């Protein structure tokens, strides 16, 4: 196969995911993440964003889900049949929705678990310093049980923990969930900095489209287990439909009437 | 008063041996959520192997011990791999029944392989008790306490500080998150069983030396339940404290009450304590409280 574009870091081609052998959740999803890029995966609740990320990280299998068609390739190697721990060794780490810190471990122990796949004690120490550099707040919290630190700090622990694996690609699932707007901004800034300084590529699943499209270069929009739109982040944020459905914007100064809302419904069905 | 302290101190030393067995139980429960009813049988099996190696094959202790520990670790691995892993995702009662079945298989296998008559485990420990402040300390109990103590300190260090130990605690806390950071959860399960096997091997030697090796040896496993319920099912320090309490209580009670009732206090008082503990503090002294941020 010859193509002029450089090979993407991650390519998901036409995957279908079935839960419990019967429930079809993803119906042919394709996307790519370039080396060192940030890609946003947008969509409403239940659109299939998390499932897509879990298909990539291999966590799907812990929830009785299965990739039944299509392929996921990371640097040209098929990874959709690997278990999560192998996927992490390949360089992909998922930061799960809802943070999932180890509440009973201290903040620092949480970070240390992230280095599990790499055995080197020396570099672990250095990586801890890197994490504390990006999340200075965690330095003061290092001895606290992670269950007792604030939500924003837990999100930082979750991202820092993933960083400890020295990933080439980070799958971030709803990092903004349940956080105050200020914190959301802070976390997105750190993600952008990580991407710039450490070269970590990011696939970002978000409902907060405004925020996600600010840091991402490319975006995909999912609905009902399908990708319905994709393009440059800027182009997406200027797309009229996206503005209406996801960014909550209509023409300046106009107020929405219920008739318009009903109208959205129809158009949205058409869109998917 | 000397009588009391005599009972108390010797009870604590016996208790440290309960703690050793309880530790294996707690570890398996914590990491894999399996309530292992075969813990006592695992101890018994360890005792049988030790007796076989030392008496039947006449191996010197220095050779027999590593062989014993190695084979019990292997047994732990095999049980996890062959019996418990296929049960992952089944409901709790099925898993419990599997361990109950496993217990019977161990009983039968031990009797089949090495015979049902009681065997001794000869250890090079003097019988003459030491007397300190009028307390009679039997060297066997001291040795048992030292071995249990060393094992538990080593284990706690491993569990708190080592990479694998942190991974085990992480898995116990949130299995899916552990997978997400790349922890090999199956490896953690297997390791828990292997360590439980190791604890059972040591327990088997110590208990076997104390009360003789036959299928009755598995009954020490029953004392583990009051110990872990008191301490908290999922707490490593709880296993230690619970074991010590049970050991001390049964020893002191037996010393004072047995002369009037003619014996048996040792066997029922721990369970009375267990029932009380379940009524008052069902998650034990050190059991895990669920952390909720409000």
């Amino acid at each position: 196969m010859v193509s002029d574009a450089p090979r993407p870091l991650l390519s998901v081609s036409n995957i279908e995911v079935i839960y419990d052998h019967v429930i079809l959740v993803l119906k042919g999803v394709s996307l790519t993440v370039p080396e060192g890029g940030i890609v946003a995966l947008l969509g409403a609740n239940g659109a299939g964003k998390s499932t897509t990320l879990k298909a990539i990280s291999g966590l799907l299998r812990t929830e009785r889900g299965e990739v039944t068609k299509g392929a996921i390739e990371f640097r040209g190697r098929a990874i959709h049949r690997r278990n999560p721990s192998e996927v992490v060794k390949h360089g992909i780490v998922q930061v799960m929705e809802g943070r999932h810190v180890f509440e009973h471990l201290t903040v620092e122990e949480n970070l240390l678990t992230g280095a599990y796949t790499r055995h080197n004690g020396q570099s672990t120490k250095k990586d801890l310093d890197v994490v504390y550099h990006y999340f200075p707040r965690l330095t003061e919290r290092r001895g606290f049980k992670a269950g007792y630190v604030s939500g924003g700090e837990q999100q930082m622990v979750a991202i820092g923990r993933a960083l400890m694996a020295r990933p080439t690609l980070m799958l971030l699932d709803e990092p903004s969930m349940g956080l105050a707007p200020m914190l959301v901004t802070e976390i997105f800034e750190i993600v952008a900095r990580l991407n710039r300084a450490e070269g970590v590529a990011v696939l970002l699943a978000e409902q907060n489209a405004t925020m996600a499209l600010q840091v991402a270069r490319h975006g995909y929009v999912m609905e009902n287990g399908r990708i319905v739109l994709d393009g440059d982040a800027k182009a997406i944020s200027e797309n009229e439909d996206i503005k209406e459905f996801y960014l909550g914007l209509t023409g300046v100064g106009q107020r929405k009437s219920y008739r318009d809302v009903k109208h959205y419904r129809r158009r949205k069905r058409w869109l998917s | 008063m000397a009588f009391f302290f005599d009972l108390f101190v010797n009870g604590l030393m016996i208790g440290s041996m309960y703690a050793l067995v309880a530790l294996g139980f707690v570890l398996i429960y914590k990491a894999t959520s399996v309530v292992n009813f075969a813990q006592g049988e695992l101890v018994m099996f360890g005792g049988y192997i030790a007796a076989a190696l030392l008496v039947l094959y006449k191996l010197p202790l220095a050779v027999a011990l590593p062989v014993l520990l190695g084979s019990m670790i292997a047994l732990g691995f095999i049980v996890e791999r062959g019996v418990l892993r296929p049960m992952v995702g089944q409901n709790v009662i099925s898993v419990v029944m599997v361990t109950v079945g496993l217990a019977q298989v161990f009983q039968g296998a031990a009797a089949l392989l090495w015979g049902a008559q009681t065997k001794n485990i000869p250890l090079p420990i003097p019988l003459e008790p030491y007397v300190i402040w009028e307390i009679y300390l039997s060297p066997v109990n001291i040795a048992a306490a030292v071995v249990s103590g060393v094992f538990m300190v080593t284990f706690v260090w491993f569990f708190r500080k080592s990479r694998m130990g942190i991974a085990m605690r992480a898995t116990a806390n949130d299995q899916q998150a552990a997978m997400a950071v790349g922890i090999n959860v199956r490896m953690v399960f297997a390791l828990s069983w292997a360590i439980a096997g190791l604890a059972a091997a040591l327990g088997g030697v110590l208990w076997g030396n104390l009360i003789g090796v036959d299928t009755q040896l598995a009954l020490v496993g029953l004392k583990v339940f009051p110990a872990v319920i008191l301490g908290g099912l999922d707490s490593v320090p709880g296993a230690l404290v619970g074991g010590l309490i049970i050991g001390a209580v049964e020893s002191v009670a037996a010393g004072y009450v047995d002369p009037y009732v003619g014996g048996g206090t040792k066997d029922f008082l721990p369970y009375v304590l267990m029932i009380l503990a379940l009524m008052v503090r069902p998650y034990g002294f050190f059991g895990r409280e669920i952390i909720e941020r409000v």
Side-chain angles (χ1 to χ4, degrees):
Chain A
M1 212 168 67
V2 187
S3 65
D4 25 333
R7 195 173 65 188
L9 179 66
L10 175 84
S11 85
V12 173
S13 16
N14 206 20
I15 57 164
E16 187 178 276
V17 166
I18 295 185
Y19 276 110
D20 261 334
H21 299 293
V22 283
I23 308 158
L24 180 64
V25 190
L26 297 189
K27 306 156 187 168
V29 170
S30 300
L31 57 86
T32 59
V33 179
E35 199 78 57
I38 301 185
V39 172
L41 189 56
L42 309 174
N45 246 338
K49 306 184 300 288
S50 291
T51 302
T52 307
L53 295 196
K54 282 176 186 159
I56 300 168
S57 69
L59 283 176
L60 201 61
R61 275 198 269 164
T62 66
E63 298 178 343
R64 304 164 72 94
E66 211 187 335
V67 178
T68 47
K69 277 184 198 158
I72 302 171
E73 285 182 354
F74 184 66
R75 293 198 158 139
R77 254 185 298 180
I79 54 162
H80 55 282
R81 302 237 180 281
R82 308 269 161 174
N83 64 43
S85 117
E86 285 171 323
V87 173
V88 173
K89 277 186 198 149
H90 276 92
I92 304 180
V93 184
Q94 177 169 4
V95 178
M96 280 194 288
E97 181 177 1
R99 310 190 273 269
H100 276 273
V101 297
F102 302 117
E103 298 97 335
H104 296 272
L105 272 58
T106 64
V107 165
E108 182 146 315
E109 284 169 345
N110 264 274
L111 298 178
L112 287 173
T113 59
Y116 176 84
T117 47
R118 303 182 312 106
H119 301 221
N120 191 335
Q122 275 288 313
S123 64
T124 304
K125 194 102 192 70
K126 228 188 285 165
D127 291 349
L128 268 181
D129 293 338
V130 171
V131 172
Y132 288 135
H133 164 74
Y134 282 101
F135 302 102
R137 275 209 218 191
L138 296 184
T139 321
E140 311 149 32
R141 296 275 186 255
R142 65 205 298 171
F144 284 49
K145 282 225 167 116
Y148 293 124
V149 302
S150 76
E153 286 161 351
Q154 286 189 349
Q155 188 64 60
M156 293 177 186
V157 170
I159 296 176
R161 186 173 67 181
L163 206 58
M164 292 292 288
R166 290 238 187 116
T168 26
L169 172 63
M170 209 187 265
L171 310 172
L172 278 178
D173 198 352
E174 299 283 351
S176 73
M177 194 173 84
L179 298 183
M182 275 250 297
L183 271 167
V184 175
T185 314
E186 188 180 341
I187 286 189
F188 273 82
E189 272 168 18
I190 295 172
V191 169
R193 261 174 66 207
L194 280 172
N195 171 260
R196 251 179 289 130
E198 310 287 325
V200 185
V202 178
L203 177 56
L204 174 65
E206 258 298 345
Q207 289 194 53
N208 188 338
T210 326
M211 213 59 226
L213 288 172
Q214 275 173 30
V215 294
R217 275 157 240 169
H218 198 89
Y220 291 86
V221 180
M222 286 191 84
E223 251 169 48
N224 274 323
R226 287 197 180 89
I227 304 263
V228 290
L229 187 74
D230 89 275
D232 194 63
K234 213 167 146 90
I236 289 192
S237 48
E238 277 159 15
N239 179 304
E240 288 304 318
D241 286 336
I242 297 300
K243 272 193 197 167
E244 284 186 17
F245 300 142
Y246 293 101
L247 303 177
L249 301 170
T250 47
V252 187
Q254 290 175 9
R255 290 184 66 168
K256 292 178 195 170
S257 77
Y258 183 62
R259 213 170 54 200
D260 295 335
V261 176
K262 276 212 296 204
H263 175 61
Y264 290 169
R265 281 255 170 93
R266 260 199 315 276
R267 276 180 55 192
K268 200 165 166 180
R269 210 158 34 216
W270 165 80
L271 186 69
S272 61
Chain B
M1 213 52 201
F3 181 56
F4 172 80
F5 280 111
D6 189 70
L7 292 170
F8 185 69
V9 172
N10 279 296
L12 283 183
M13 289 194 282
I14 298 287
S16 74
M17 289 162 64
Y18 285 136
L20 185 64
V21 184
L23 181 72
F25 179 91
V26 165
L27 190 59
I28 288 175
Y29 179 74
K30 206 173 155 74
T32 70
S33 315
V34 170
V35 179
N36 179 22
F37 278 89
Q39 193 64 29
E41 279 72 13
L42 223 47
V43 171
M44 176 209 70
F45 215 76
Y48 259 102
I49 295 179
L53 292 171
L54 288 170
V55 180
L56 228 56
Y57 309 120
K58 304 216 164 23
L59 293 177
L61 190 64
V63 182
L65 201 60
V67 174
L68 167 71
L69 299 183
S71 41
M72 286 301 286
I73 289 172
L75 185 67
F77 265 118
I78 292 167
V79 167
E80 194 277 331
R81 187 86 225 214
V83 185
L84 273 309
R85 192 174 297 176
M87 296 300 293
V88 167
Q90 302 291 330
N91 64 26
V92 181
I93 199 76
S94 315
V95 179
V96 164
M97 284 305 148
V98 163
T99 69
V100 171
L102 206 56
Q104 296 312 308
V105 170
F106 279 138
Q107 290 254 3
L112 209 68
L113 286 170
W114 297 295
Q117 69 275 35
T118 308
K119 291 162 193 59
N120 290 317
I121 296 182
L123 292 180
I125 296 171
L127 287 172
E128 200 56 36
Y130 302 111
V131 184
I132 303 167
W133 302 309
E134 293 178 74
I135 298 174
Y136 286 77
L137 299 172
S138 96
V140 176
N141 283 3
I142 296 174
V146 169
V147 171
S148 310
V150 168
F151 178 82
M152 277 183 291
V153 169
T154 315
F155 174 77
V156 167
W157 175 86
F158 168 81
F159 207 49
R160 304 238 117 244
K161 297 289 174 204
S162 77
R163 166 175 166 269
M164 228 24 231
I166 293 176
M168 288 175 90
R169 284 190 291 140
T171 307
N173 194 160
D174 187 333
Q175 230 175 74
Q176 203 185 24
M179 286 182 180
V181 296
I183 290 170
N184 187 341
V185 170
R186 288 179 169 178
M187 178 69 200
V188 167
F189 286 6
L191 190 67
S192 312
W193 276 88
I195 295 176
L198 186 65
L202 292 173
V205 174
L206 299 173
W207 278 108
N209 175 257
L210 203 67
I211 61 179
V213 177
D214 53 29
T215 49
Q216 299 287 306
L217 183 54
L219 295 179
V220 298
L222 289 181
K223 285 283 171 57
V224 163
F225 290 104
V228 296
I229 294 290
L230 272 182
L233 266 180
D234 55 2
S235 160
V236 169
L240 174 64
V241 174
L244 291 177
I245 291 175
I246 294 300
V249 164
E250 69 169 25
S251 165
V252 171
Y256 284 101
V257 183
D258 269 0
Y260 303 105
V261 296
T265 323
K266 228 186 177 84
D267 292 322
F268 91 84
L269 201 65
Y271 293 95
V272 174
L273 272 185
M274 178 176 89
I275 293 167
L276 288 177
L278 282 171
M279 288 176 187
V280 179
R281 210 178 148 84
Y283 39 88
F285 294 131
F286 297 92
R288 169 151 109 196
E289 78 276 41
I290 311 277
I291 296 182
E292 273 183 84
R293 287 188 320 110
V294 187

